[in-house]
Amino acid sequence: MLAGSFSAKAYSFFDTLLWIACLNLLWMVFSLAGLGVLGVGPATAAAQILVRRRVRGEAAPLLRSFTKEYGRNFGRGNGLALPVLLAGAALALNWNYFSRSGDLLSQLMAAGAFVAAIFLVAVTCHLFPMFARYELPLPQYLLMSSRFALRHLAGTAILLFVTAAALFASQALPGLIPFFSVGAWLYVTGWLCDRFFTANDESVTGDAADASDAARPAAMVGAPAA
């Protein structure tokens, strides 16, 4: 029994590693197919949709499903990614400009750009998993991702740690980049966000049910009749 359980867990682990490696390759190929700037958004959207399906136990051919979701979400994926990329580029330019000066105001501006960049990364960690889970008007994704990142600071800190760990591992071992770096980051952040969103939805549903019960007459919620 123990040996069988270990074999099953080992098979599941290596199967997940292989799936992540394939996802990493598809993300890179389809990002390049969109010339980078126009490919990153739909490739990330497609990847997070497939991550959520796998987390939920839904089996589907990876290449066929990725291609389908990439094409279906090409416009909306770019609608999410392009503002983030533009904001990131602006923050990087501002930090690079102000950090070169030694005066206090410039250093404060550089620090502000750095903090804003961290917040942008936190929002991005939530953005595409939220897109994979909810049907919202396109501008609402950025707004709701920002609110969620601020309201759930513990989860945001975990996502930032995962992102920093992925960047550190990729810098220390560049050979990981073609095989695991992006795919592993997408999988782990998607898996975490799916749990964060589920816990939040259950909390909201529970609060709504409590409020509904409180609004009913006493006899309707099981209080003894007079």
Side-chain angles (χ1 to χ4, degrees):
M1 181 67 71
L2 183 60
S5 176
F6 176 79
S7 298
K9 290 180 179 179
Y11 175 83
S12 177
F13 174 75
F14 286 109
D15 180 65
T16 300
L17 280 184
L18 178 60
W19 192 88
I20 288 173
C22 292
L23 184 72
N24 191 92
L25 178 61
L26 288 172
W27 184 89
M28 295 180 67
V29 169
F30 280 82
S31 294
L32 292 174
L35 302 178
V37 174
L38 296 179
V40 170
T44 305
Q48 287 293 2
I49 290 170
L50 296 187
V51 166
R52 182 165 186 261
R53 289 178 184 172
R54 183 172 178 88
V55 167
R56 297 177 64 186
E58 299 177 13
L62 185 56
L63 176 58
R64 185 187 307 169
S65 299
F66 196 102
T67 304
K68 179 180 179 181
E69 296 300 338
Y70 180 90
R72 177 186 295 174
N73 296 289
F74 189 86
R76 286 169 65 82
N78 278 306
L80 291 179
L82 290 178
V84 172
L85 293 173
L86 290 173
L91 289 172
L93 290 172
N94 277 277
W95 181 85
N96 187 54
Y97 175 79
F98 288 112
S99 63
R100 293 180 177 180
S101 302
D103 59 283
L104 178 60
L105 179 60
S106 295
Q107 292 302 309
L108 289 174
M109 294 294 291
F114 183 75
V115 172
I118 293 176
F119 178 68
L120 181 64
V121 172
V123 172
T124 305
C125 287
H126 292 91
L127 182 61
F128 285 95
M130 187 171 286
F131 176 80
R133 184 181 180 100
Y134 301 106
E135 289 288 341
L136 299 172
L138 200 59
Q140 287 292 315
Y141 287 108
L142 282 168
L143 177 62
M144 298 303 295
S145 296
S146 301
R147 288 180 176 177
F148 199 95
L150 289 172
R151 290 182 59 188
H152 300 82
L153 293 178
T156 299
I158 293 172
L159 292 171
L160 289 174
F161 175 79
V162 169
T163 302
L167 291 173
F168 177 80
S170 299
Q171 185 176 19
L173 298 170
L176 290 175
I177 295 174
F179 300 102
F180 290 110
S181 293
V182 177
W185 179 79
L186 289 167
Y187 184 84
V188 175
T189 55
W191 182 85
L192 287 170
C193 283
D194 189 68
R195 275 143 184 79
F196 297 156
F197 296 155
T198 298
N200 181 73
D201 291 346
E202 290 174 352
S203 176
V204 171
T205 301
D207 291 344
D210 291 343
S212 177
D213 288 343
R216 296 176 185 174
M220 293 181 64
V221 295

